[in-house]
Amino acid sequence: MDISRKWLSDYVTLDCDDAYLCDRLTMAGIEVEKVESASTVPAGVVTAKILSREPHPASDHLSVCRVTDGGEELQIVCGAPNCDAGRIVPLAKIGTVFHTAEGDFKIKKSKLRGVESSGMMCSEAELGLSANNDGLMILPPDTALGRPLTALFPGDTRIELEVTPNRPDCLSLWGVARDVSCLLSTPAKLPEITVPECEAAIPELVTVEDRELCPRYIGRVIRNVKIGPSPDWLRERLESVGLRAINNVVDVTNFVMLELGQPLHAFDRSRLAGGRVVVRRAKAGEKLTLLDGRTLDLSEKYLVIADAEKPMALAGVMGGEHSGVHEGTTEILLESAVFKASRIRATSRELGISTDASYRYERGVDFDMAELASRRACQLILETAGGELASAPMEVVGARPAEPVIRCRFERIRKLIGTAVSNERIVDILRKLRLQVADITDAECVVTAPLFRLDLTREADLAEEVARIDGLDKIPAIPVTGKVCHPDSEDAYAPLRGLRDEVIGMGFDECVHYSIVGSASALADSRFTKADLIELSNPLSPDNGWMRPGLLGEMLGTVGRNFARGSRDLRLFELDKAFCKNPAKFPEERNELLLLLTGRRHPELFSAAGEEKYDFYDIKGAVETLLEKLAIRNCRLTAPEQPDGRCREGHALVLMLEGKSAGILGELNPRLAASWRGAAPVFFAQIEVGPLLAAAGRVEKTCRPLAQYPGTARDIAFTAPESLTNGEVTEFIRRCRVPNFESVRLFDIFVDETLKKSGRRSMAYSLSFRNRERTLTDAEVNAAVEKLRSRLAAELHVELR
């Protein structure tokens, strides 16, 4: 919010400079974002008197003047027609800098057509005081000479404040003035408001059908107004905070909103059917064209200001196209109302419309200020647009909200803020903030918070008020100490942190995506339909209104963005929450792990190995490595019973943990990668974290020396049914526990026409043996191999070769 120092000084005495004022505001929690000087008169311009005027010897339109500022006499060459002797004028002395749109212009001693000139006498336009450039600015004849013109025409300072959502009372000049009054210990008061009495009543002028959404509505009718330009003082006030003047009536409503924080609207009563307003919910099928030209299709969830026939304005947000005043308006209905903050906030966000009025309403306005603002606006409209009151204020009001009554214990306040502030100081601060303080004892008092302070509801809020007014810089710096109540291993987040560290240790780069996604991203995971998605009731954007059911969709978006920017070698992962509406598929909230590989396996190499691409076995190896790191034993990878839409058919494996499916890995379905031109195959693994961590064993990290004795290898080859998988073979070999066995590796699979017809294939394995205490003999190794061959033939029914 922008405020003007000059405007602020209408309500509170400011006996300090801008820097001090801004510092006190910031330290009081009303942060100053920017300070902008609006002074137009440059430093160095002083008042001076023209002593004489002579014609220029080489020009028929220039004059040579003798000028004094009371201290020295100067010769000035001037082209203005009114530079007559005896006049008091502004004089820019040598060294004065003018800041113009074309750049800075510095006054220097110079010669104009051969005559020396030691300064410049100025017009109002040159000083930025008005557009008048017809001649020199003529000052009153009794003006003291040598006085800086900035003292006669002081500039202004525009201060931009960052007002937090819990302080809607500071969205007005008067609200800021109240805090400044307390901070500077100077008085603050509103201008006197006088409105002529009018006893006339207009029946059914105001009807409120929904008291919950509109607890207070005040309407006044003013007749015989004359719409025209605003007076200079009103226009200058609005322009000082960046608002454009429109006409006298509209400018008054804007002025009062900025002054008191209460939004207002002036209806042209002749355009209201029945000459009255009805505050109601919109009806299905109704339409409303707003002041910005946008046409809305209304529904019952919107609150509108209607006449006897149709909606005329969107309550608390924006007026309708034909609701406002225009040049021919002579009779207005002035609205001052209180609307339910949550309803205005929902309407504003849903429609994407934010106005000065909605910004205030959605944060909450002062219930009591509606009546004062109505009288203030009525006073100013009568002053600037003429006319007379045609009715007494027609008010429809519900129950006044209760003012919070808060117990304030002095010792508790001191304990919360950490300073030794006295009881008297606490009471003084609260009273200066215009809070009601009663029942004062040596230990406590009772504080009643006014309705303009919606943020004060509990004792801690009062402590914050005392701290920020007394001075946050007075709070001593106290070292913070902490105690470990439970070991880190009991931290509920520790297993997730450990899993993340393991994946990072495997060389994957972490991605973090938003949990709120669009429907296309959510449905990229073929496991889900739209009925499975959790939809937000009030999304920030209509394009992102669903909670992600899995991590795949957003990760594919990241891959696509990397491909589009030439980054094609990716090793990514994400570990985060996913959400599902269908309990038959997944819990409402769960953790999921996604691994993804694509591009070159070793892009850092310059040899042929640097061009090798990731393949199916890389993602399979990554999953197996992770299972090994987590000491998961009861696991296996098996082909899916049905094709999975996420994977290329025939290129997928299901991860089984404790006999249940816990994830899938494989090559990404080409359908999901159709838009990535020239991209290498993408391989991924999508794993449920809950079952993964539940199956994890206790990991004992130990170190042992490298083997000092050599190992030896033997090969085994056999034919087996095509249904027998490599995983089943390797698991069987490990379970046999033959002496000195170390590892097994598949190195060949062969199928010829004969084997194919019989539904069999040839498989060859390399077996490694080693003893850490001695060198193995051939006899020992051969005996172990023969034992293994016998068990393979007997239990897996393979034909040894």
Side-chain angles (χ1 to χ4, degrees):
M1 174 185 167
D2 289 348
I3 64 170
S4 155
R5 179 189 170 108
K6 186 184 291 186
W7 191 353
L8 183 65
S9 64
D10 291 345
Y11 314 108
V12 61
T13 303
L14 300 178
D15 53 1
C16 62
D17 59 21
D18 293 342
Y20 183 78
L21 173 63
C22 293
D23 180 67
R24 290 307 306 271
L25 284 171
T26 298
M27 293 302 294
I30 308 173
E31 185 179 357
V32 175
E33 289 281 307
K34 184 169 64 174
V35 179
E36 204 173 76
S37 175
S39 175
T40 54
V41 178
V45 180
V46 299
T47 57
K49 183 176 183 179
I50 303 175
L51 301 176
S52 64
R53 176 184 182 182
E54 301 292 338
H56 193 289
S59 173
D60 56 359
H61 70 277
L62 295 177
S63 302
V64 179
C65 302
R66 302 297 298 179
V67 179
T68 180
D69 62 358
E72 61 178 330
E73 189 175 317
L74 303 169
Q75 178 174 284
I76 308 292
V77 176
C78 181
N82 60 341
C83 55
D84 300 323
R87 288 186 165 173
I88 308 297
V89 296
L91 171 65
K93 304 182 74 172
I94 292 173
T96 302
V97 178
F98 287 80
H99 303 286
T100 67
E102 293 77 21
D104 292 349
F105 171 68
K106 187 175 184 179
I107 301 298
K108 301 177 182 178
K109 181 182 288 189
S110 59
K111 288 187 177 182
L112 297 177
R113 296 200 178 183
V115 178
E116 189 174 86
S117 181
S118 300
M120 181 180 78
M121 294 182 285
C122 306
S123 67
E124 292 182 12
E126 289 166 332
L127 296 172
L129 297 175
S130 76
N132 185 3
N133 199 27
D134 294 337
L136 298 179
M137 180 181 185
I138 306 301
L139 300 172
D142 58 348
T143 303
L145 300 183
R147 189 177 181 187
L149 210 66
T150 52
L152 299 177
F153 300 95
D156 197 2
T157 301
R158 181 187 298 180
I159 303 172
E160 182 181 334
L161 303 178
E162 177 65 32
V163 180
T164 54
N166 67 320
R167 291 298 307 274
D169 58 300
C170 289
L171 293 175
S172 67
L173 271 297
W174 175 238
V176 176
R178 283 189 297 243
D179 265 28
V180 171
S181 170
C182 187
L183 291 168
L184 302 182
S185 297
T186 57
K189 63 180 291 187
L190 279 170
E192 183 179 352
I193 301 175
T194 56
V195 178
E197 294 293 332
C198 181
E199 301 297 333
I202 302 178
E204 298 184 348
L205 178 68
V206 175
T207 302
V208 178
E209 295 183 359
D210 195 323
R211 297 284 183 90
E212 180 187 359
L213 299 185
C214 179
R216 190 172 196 183
Y217 193 101
I218 302 172
R220 294 176 184 264
V221 175
I222 305 175
R223 290 179 179 152
N224 300 322
V225 297
K226 185 176 180 181
I227 305 300
S230 296
D232 290 345
W233 71 266
L234 178 55
R235 188 175 62 254
E236 289 171 2
R237 284 287 183 264
L238 295 178
E239 290 174 352
S240 70
V241 294
L243 282 188
R244 177 178 58 89
I246 299 174
N247 60 53
N248 44 12
V249 172
V250 174
D251 291 348
V252 164
T253 60
N254 286 334
F255 176 89
V256 175
M257 177 186 69
L258 295 171
E259 181 183 53
L260 302 178
Q262 171 64 46
L264 305 167
H265 188 65
F267 292 94
D268 183 337
R269 192 167 179 239
S270 67
R271 292 184 171 185
L272 297 174
R276 65 192 185 95
V277 293
V278 181
V279 185
R280 60 173 173 82
R281 290 180 180 269
K283 300 174 183 177
E286 286 186 320
K287 295 182 180 294
L288 174 63
T289 301
L290 301 177
L291 286 171
D292 62 1
R294 179 177 174 181
T295 300
L296 304 177
D297 293 317
L298 302 176
S299 66
E300 294 181 355
K301 61 185 174 182
Y302 300 125
L303 186 70
V304 297
I305 311 298
D307 57 18
E309 300 174 354
K310 59 190 178 302
M312 296 297 291
L314 193 61
V317 179
M318 186 180 288
E321 183 179 32
H322 302 296
S323 68
V325 299
H326 55 93
E327 291 182 358
T329 299
T330 59
E331 184 174 0
I332 63 172
L333 191 157
L334 180 64
E335 167 194 283
S336 180
V338 177
F339 300 113
K340 189 174 181 179
S342 60
R343 180 66 265 165
I344 303 304
R345 180 164 54 252
T347 299
S348 177
R349 291 188 178 181
E350 182 174 334
L351 299 176
I353 302 173
S354 180
T355 61
D356 287 333
S358 69
Y359 188 79
R360 287 163 173 79
Y361 274 127
E362 65 188 34
R363 285 159 175 77
V365 297
D366 180 7
F367 187 89
D368 296 333
M369 186 58 73
E371 193 276 333
L372 182 66
S374 178
R375 290 196 296 114
R376 176 66 164 159
C378 184
Q379 173 194 32
L380 295 177
I381 289 173
L382 294 176
E383 289 178 5
T384 60
E388 63 275 347
L389 279 175
S391 73
M394 305 302 294
E395 181 174 9
V396 178
V397 61
R400 183 176 182 271
E403 296 175 329
V405 177
I406 308 167
R407 181 188 181 191
C408 177
R409 294 166 292 176
F410 300 131
E411 193 56 39
R412 177 63 176 163
I413 297 296
R414 284 188 282 270
K415 186 175 181 180
L416 285 172
I417 65 178
T419 59
V421 58
S422 67
N423 296 359
E424 293 75 16
R425 175 62 173 157
I426 293 174
V427 172
D428 181 56
I429 289 174
L430 297 177
R431 283 177 169 165
K432 284 183 177 179
L433 287 169
R434 300 180 181 244
L435 311 182
Q436 298 176 27
V437 184
D439 300 336
I440 304 173
T441 68
D442 291 340
E444 62 180 42
C445 63
V446 177
V447 178
T448 302
L451 293 181
F452 64 80
R453 287 305 302 271
L454 301 176
D455 58 316
L456 302 183
T457 59
R458 54 183 181 161
E459 194 173 33
D461 298 329
L462 300 179
E464 181 182 357
E465 294 301 296
V466 173
R468 70 185 188 87
I469 299 300
D470 190 53
L472 296 176
D473 55 326
K474 294 181 181 179
I475 299 176
I478 301 175
V480 178
T481 59
K483 294 182 179 179
V484 178
C485 300
H486 296 278
D488 184 68
S489 60
E490 295 182 13
D491 183 358
Y493 186 69
L496 291 175
R497 185 170 62 243
L499 177 58
R500 175 177 282 105
D501 291 343
E502 294 291 2
V503 178
I504 291 173
M506 292 163 56
F508 285 84
D509 296 317
E510 185 173 13
C511 293
V512 179
H513 300 105
Y514 288 116
S515 298
I516 300 174
V517 300
S519 60
S521 173
L523 297 177
D525 193 326
S526 60
R527 295 174 295 171
F528 303 100
T529 65
K530 202 160 188 177
D532 299 324
L533 306 184
I534 297 176
E535 184 175 2
L536 300 181
S537 59
N538 187 25
L540 293 176
S541 166
D543 297 329
N544 294 294
W546 289 267
M547 302 300 292
R548 61 182 177 191
L551 305 183
L552 182 62
E554 290 298 285
M555 182 66 83
L556 295 181
T558 292
V559 172
R561 285 187 291 274
N562 275 272
F563 283 176
R565 289 158 178 79
S567 179
R568 294 178 174 268
D569 304 317
L570 304 175
R571 190 176 177 92
L572 308 176
F573 87 97
E574 183 172 13
L575 173 59
D576 214 330
K577 292 188 180 297
F579 308 85
C580 181
K581 185 178 180 181
N582 186 352
K585 290 186 175 180
F586 293 103
E588 185 177 65
E589 182 177 327
R590 70 193 193 282
N591 285 300
E592 191 174 270
L593 172 65
L594 183 75
L595 309 176
L596 185 138
L597 301 172
T598 185
R600 294 175 294 173
R601 188 180 293 117
H602 297 293
E604 72 279 4
L605 300 180
F606 292 95
S607 61
E611 296 302 318
E612 293 178 358
K613 299 290 197 298
Y614 285 118
D615 58 25
F616 178 87
Y617 295 101
D618 287 297
I619 193 66
K620 178 174 178 287
V623 172
E624 290 174 334
T625 300
L626 182 60
L627 296 174
E628 184 178 348
K629 285 178 173 290
L630 297 178
I632 296 176
R633 301 286 180 260
N634 191 4
C635 62
R636 62 190 178 94
L637 296 172
T638 181
E641 295 179 358
Q642 299 291 336
D644 191 298
R646 294 170 288 173
C647 298
R648 182 180 176 186
E649 190 170 351
H651 293 71
L653 289 175
V654 174
L655 172 62
M656 304 295 292
L657 298 176
E658 310 288 346
K660 296 180 181 179
S661 172
I664 194 169
L665 64 94
E667 182 179 344
L668 185 70
N669 192 322
R671 171 182 59 84
L672 298 174
S675 61
W676 304 335
R677 296 180 180 177
V682 175
F683 303 93
F684 76 99
Q686 200 167 2
I687 303 172
E688 298 301 317
V689 172
L692 186 71
L693 294 179
R698 182 177 178 85
V699 180
E700 295 288 349
K701 295 187 177 181
T702 59
C703 297
R704 62 178 181 176
L706 295 174
Q708 299 181 12
Y709 299 93
T712 187
R714 296 289 190 273
D715 293 342
I716 292 180
F718 51 81
T719 62
E722 288 185 345
S723 60
L724 184 64
T725 66
N726 171 61
E728 291 172 325
V729 173
T730 55
E731 182 61 25
F732 176 82
I733 292 174
R734 291 191 182 98
R735 287 204 311 267
C736 287
R737 297 184 180 276
V738 296
N740 302 309
F741 170 77
E742 186 176 53
S743 64
V744 59
R745 178 176 62 86
L746 174 70
F747 69 84
D748 183 56
I749 295 179
F750 172 74
V751 180
D752 60 12
E753 288 298 325
T754 303
L755 290 172
K756 188 173 184 181
K757 288 179 182 179
S758 61
R760 301 178 71 83
R761 60 181 175 176
S762 173
M763 306 175 75
Y765 289 85
S766 176
L767 307 175
S768 297
F769 297 86
R770 187 191 305 272
N771 189 302
R772 288 186 166 269
E773 297 178 355
R774 59 186 176 80
T775 302
L776 293 174
T777 65
D778 285 342
E780 289 177 301
V781 176
N782 292 338
V785 173
E786 286 305 318
K787 180 180 178 181
L788 183 58
R789 284 169 60 89
S790 298
R791 292 194 62 178
L792 284 169
E795 298 181 37
L796 294 186
H797 307 294
V798 301
E799 295 180 6
L800 296 167
R801 298 173 61 186

